[in-house]
Amino acid sequence: MAAAASDQNTSLMANAIRALAMDAVQQANSGHPGAPMGMADIAVALWGRHLKHNPGNPHWADRDRFVLSNGHGSMLIYALLHLTGYDLPMSELRNFRQLHSKTPGHPEVGVTPGVETTTGPLGQGITNAVGMALAEKLLAAEFNRPGHTIVDHHTYAFLGDGCLMEGISHEACALAGAWRLNKLIALYDDNGISIDGQVKPWFIDDTPKRFEAYGWNVIANVNGHDVDAVDAAIVQAKSAGKPTLICCKTTIGKGSPNRGGTAKAHGEALGAEEIKLTREALGWTSEPFVIPETVYEQWDARHSGLAAESKWVDAFEAYGKAHPELALEYVRRVEGHLPKNFAQVAVDAALAAHTKAETVASRKASQIALEAFTKAMPELLGGSADLTGSVFTNTSSTPALRFGDDGSSNGGRHINYGVREFGMAAIMNGVALHGGFIPYGGTFLTFSDYSRNAVRMAALMKLRVVHVFTHDSIGLGEDGPTHQSIEHVASLRLIPGLDVWRPADTAETAIAWACALESRQRPTALILSRHNLPYAPKSGLDDISKGAYVLAEPSEVGLKKKAQAVIIATGSEVSLALHAQQLLAQQKVAVRVVSMPSTSVFDRQSVGYKTSVLPAGLPRIAVEMGVSDGWWKYGCAAVVGIDTYGESAPAPVLFKHFGFTAENVVATVLRAISR
């Protein structure tokens, strides 16, 4: 916190934000000045009187989390970070929205010190905040002990009407109420304006009643330009036994004589003349990008932040003496390190799968692997979007998470998200951002469309999040084309920074899980089958983690000759490729079978390794139950794929109907060789 409330000149503090916002947007000739100017007083109340943070250490584990869900108002958080003492000099504010600056158009975690999450797609910030608050609550229950409270912080979110219009806000906020996240406090910037103008024609929700129905504590009709009133509301919120929404009535572009309260203040620079008039109206006499020293003194949170963290460090030292093993585990967890025995657990899981060589659906293979990993890793926090019995994300080590009437948790580690795919994905991002847990969640692959934007955000933020997508193809059968994934795998592969795995058997699935858990800066999508997959015999497991490997040479089927072609397959189609190899061998045609469970991982390998798997000069035929387009990059001569929607029928009937038979693969290979 900055200066004591009694010593604050709140008007000057707020106007400093307004000045920086309008000057930076004007200089860039791009951006959104209205929200920062309208929320400046709310920011003074929260950041000046309540927020527990240390500008000298943005990663202090027990800091309060602040999320600017309406991320278009990014100059608000940049102004706050600069004024309170973070490593964000004025030169960066002058460089707002410019190439390689620390002040991009929307806040980006990892770019700007003090930014907790990347926001911009509306609704996802508040949903991330729900995930952060959930992580805090579960960590507190797990690690705090009588007389030793080491996890004790709030999650605050600013949001606007755009966030509330997005359906994801309903998904997330309903869950926050069900989970009784009492340390989640959201401040709603109720200004009644969006880009298109007054929101009344299309947004008539009774927001307070909506949130009351979710089980939230609601503080309505707060004057968002009265710092003391907002301060009092935050004080009240802190004592509530459930999440709180503070509804702050504000004027967008507050201070602008001609644009304040209008859509003209929302998404464009005010203009030189209007800025001049605004300065006069506010009584702000400083030049652009100049802040009086007295204002810096009012805002400076470096001393108080250091004192707060030092107090916590002392408390943690006492905790470590009283509970040394717990202290070490807490540090490991929040720093994101895997257990010391992780490598052995991973090897054992893969070897067990290889030894047993079971014929099971890869969704079941995933659960088998999870049994080993969840037993060894208390940080694994799973879940499902109302499909637990189908996606198999639960294990014996992860009982269902439940909360009592007093808000206490039962220590469960499997979350029933309900039918909320998008909310689940964005909440998982928030959990990962908070630290202390590695989240994973499951749904049908077709419904990855609902969660896609949060999956993309995880990739953009480089988060260790695992998406379990099952029922991956026309092998779903009778549920028909609405549920059969065709384009989804290819679409997910297009997301930069996302590793997509489509394993063929239990060993590949175990290794895919191990790679996902080791991947600290990449989310992972596991693509899994509903139908049973036979184990693919293999001489070793070492190369699976490279994304693709030689599964079977012609010698495996009795041919003592070099391969004439390469069949590349993934997931359930690997067994099909092996069957085709056998049939081709009967015709004295020699082919190599390559299993490629992860194209993205394979693409990162050395040229030498890639050439060893896919030799130059041999025709390549890809086989996968999905759109064919993505396979042409591997120089394929042909692709056995599906470029239409599916049909409703038993899976074996569909396989034959769409050409996923060994005989069709054989014919395709022969045509490719004969060219």
Side-chain angles (χ1 to χ4, degrees):
M1 293 181 281
S6 59
D7 299 328
Q8 289 179 326
N9 188 326
T10 58
S11 178
L12 275 176
M13 293 172 74
N15 288 342
I17 295 172
R18 295 184 174 106
L20 289 172
M22 63 184 180
D23 289 342
V25 172
Q26 181 69 21
Q27 175 134 321
N29 197 30
S30 174
H32 300 259
M37 295 174 73
M39 299 186 78
D41 303 294
I42 302 171
V44 172
L46 176 61
W47 280 67
R49 299 183 181 180
H50 292 277
L51 195 71
K52 182 176 70 172
H53 65 123
N54 181 11
N57 182 13
H59 304 294
W60 168 32
D62 201 44
R63 67 193 183 278
D64 289 340
R65 271 54 169 188
F66 172 77
V67 173
L68 183 69
S69 191
N70 45 342
H72 55 270
S74 58
M75 267 309 303
L76 175 65
I77 192 169
Y78 298 150
L80 287 165
L81 293 170
H82 171 76
L83 291 166
T84 56
Y86 284 79
D87 183 18
L88 193 68
M90 188 65 81
S91 58
E92 294 291 350
L93 273 61
R94 288 179 175 273
N95 222 17
F96 178 55
R97 287 183 164 230
Q98 305 308 301
L99 184 64
H100 302 318
S101 74
K102 292 183 179 180
T103 50
H106 292 83
E108 294 184 36
V109 68
V111 173
T112 314
V115 168
E116 300 283 3
T117 181
T118 300
T119 55
L122 293 176
Q124 287 198 60
I126 179 62
T127 309
N128 294 163
V130 171
M132 294 174 184
L134 176 65
E136 190 274 344
K137 184 165 188 167
L138 297 182
L139 278 178
E142 186 175 352
F143 286 98
N144 289 346
R145 292 293 183 270
H148 297 280
T149 302
I150 60 164
V151 181
D152 184 16
H153 52 267
H154 287 81
T155 300
Y156 297 97
F158 284 1
L159 70 160
D161 44 38
C163 292
L164 295 177
M165 290 183 221
E166 292 283 1
I168 191 175
S169 70
H170 167 74
E171 298 182 28
C173 294
L175 279 168
W179 295 338
R180 295 171 173 81
L181 300 180
N182 60 299
K183 290 188 176 177
L184 173 63
I185 299 174
L187 293 101
Y188 167 33
D189 177 34
D190 184 8
N191 59 39
I193 297 289
S194 72
I195 291 176
D196 283 352
Q198 290 278 347
V199 300
K200 285 183 179 179
W202 55 84
F203 186 59
I204 61 170
D205 301 26
D206 189 327
T207 299
K209 287 184 179 178
R210 171 183 162 186
F211 275 75
E212 286 172 359
Y214 293 151
W216 285 52
N217 172 49
V218 177
I219 305 173
N221 297 311
V222 176
N223 181 353
H225 300 301
D226 184 337
V227 172
D228 290 335
V230 178
D231 174 23
I234 297 171
V235 171
Q236 182 183 335
K238 285 181 173 181
S239 64
K242 46 189 172 180
T244 294
L245 179 73
I246 302 173
C247 301
C248 302
K249 296 287 186 180
T250 64
T251 300
I252 192 171
K254 173 74 171 177
S256 172
N258 298 303
R259 295 198 171 194
T262 74
K264 276 290 188 180
H266 191 288
E268 60 186 78
L270 297 182
E273 182 59 30
E274 185 66 13
I275 288 177
K276 179 174 178 288
L277 294 174
T278 303
R279 276 184 152 75
E280 291 172 358
L282 296 174
W284 188 263
T285 58
S286 298
E287 296 295 311
F289 300 105
V290 174
I291 301 295
E293 193 59 38
T294 54
V295 177
Y296 277 124
E297 290 171 1
Q298 293 279 300
W299 270 116
D300 193 355
R302 290 172 293 183
H303 178 75
S304 59
L306 179 60
E309 183 175 358
S310 297
K311 182 180 179 181
W312 180 84
V313 169
D314 291 342
F316 188 78
E317 184 178 347
Y319 176 80
K321 290 178 180 177
H323 306 282
E325 292 184 0
L326 276 176
L328 288 172
E329 177 69 1
Y330 173 80
V331 171
R332 180 188 74 79
R333 293 268 296 275
V334 298
E335 292 183 351
H337 302 303
L338 297 177
K340 289 182 179 179
N341 67 337
F342 174 82
Q344 191 60 55
V345 172
V347 168
D348 290 347
L351 286 176
H354 185 51
T355 303
K356 292 179 181 178
E358 293 178 285
T359 294
V360 296
S362 54
R363 61 173 175 159
K364 183 63 180 179
S366 171
Q367 187 180 45
I368 293 169
L370 268 175
E371 280 288 348
F373 288 119
T374 55
K375 184 178 181 181
M377 301 175 66
E379 62 264 44
L380 284 175
L381 184 65
S384 163
D386 204 49
L387 289 169
T388 302
S390 295
V391 299
F392 297 160
T393 48
N394 57 322
T395 72
S396 60
S397 299
T398 58
L401 176 64
R402 296 290 183 264
F403 294 93
D405 293 338
D406 62 352
S408 61
S409 75
N410 67 342
R413 286 198 284 144
H414 188 271
I415 302 170
N416 298 103
Y417 286 97
V419 187
R420 299 183 176 99
E421 294 88 358
F422 193 6
M424 175 177 70
I427 286 171
M428 288 197 296
N429 288 349
V431 169
L433 286 160
H434 181 279
F437 294 99
I438 300 174
Y440 63 94
T443 187
F444 290 178
L445 177 58
T446 305
F447 306 143
S448 66
D449 286 337
Y450 286 136
S451 54
R452 183 183 174 89
N453 198 267
V455 176
R456 179 182 187 269
M457 293 298 290
L460 178 61
M461 292 189 280
K462 302 177 180 179
L463 302 179
R464 179 163 49 189
V465 172
V466 185
H467 296 274
V468 180
F469 293 132
T470 70
H471 297 59
D472 68 346
S473 68
I474 59 172
L476 177 58
E478 292 89 339
D479 277 345
T482 63
H483 283 53
Q484 292 166 5
S485 298
I486 301 296
E487 78 280 14
H488 298 84
V489 177
S491 176
L492 289 167
R493 286 172 178 152
L494 290 175
I495 298 177
L498 174 70
D499 279 344
V500 179
W501 286 84
R502 188 168 184 250
D505 57 26
T506 52
E508 287 191 6
T509 305
I511 289 170
W513 262 109
C515 290
L517 297 174
E518 288 178 313
S519 184
R520 294 194 62 164
Q521 293 194 311
R522 287 176 176 269
T524 300
L526 301 178
I527 313 300
L528 307 170
S529 74
R530 177 198 187 193
H531 54 294
N532 287 344
L533 309 181
Y535 191 80
K538 50 184 68 70
S539 58
L541 306 177
D542 292 346
D543 289 337
I544 297 175
S545 61
K546 296 177 181 177
Y549 64 104
V550 179
L551 177 61
E553 293 282 27
S555 58
E556 257 83 51
V557 286
L559 292 181
K560 296 180 179 179
K561 57 192 294 190
K562 291 184 177 179
Q564 299 163 259
V566 179
I567 302 176
I568 309 168
T570 79
S572 54
E573 289 71 76
V574 168
S575 61
L576 183 62
L578 291 171
H579 189 190
Q581 183 194 40
Q582 293 172 346
L583 296 180
L584 286 162
Q586 295 172 10
Q587 302 182 45
K588 306 303 181 185
V589 178
V591 299
R592 167 186 285 186
V593 175
V594 168
S595 178
M596 191 178 290
S598 179
T599 60
S600 56
V601 175
F602 178 67
D603 290 348
R604 296 198 296 271
Q605 303 306 312
S606 68
V607 173
Y609 180 75
K610 288 188 284 191
T611 302
S612 73
V613 175
L614 302 176
L618 291 182
R620 302 166 186 175
I621 300 88
V623 186
E624 185 175 61
M625 287 190 214
V627 293
S628 60
D629 276 2
W631 288 106
W632 302 111
K633 74 175 183 176
Y634 294 109
C636 291
V639 179
V640 179
I642 176 170
D643 291 309
T644 66
Y645 293 111
E647 299 281 352
S648 179
V653 175
L654 294 176
F655 297 156
K656 184 177 181 179
H657 176 74
F658 286 106
F660 290 96
T661 64
E663 292 76 15
N664 186 43
V665 176
V666 166
T668 304
V669 172
L670 292 175
R671 286 195 299 270
I673 292 175
S674 66
R675 290 174 185 165

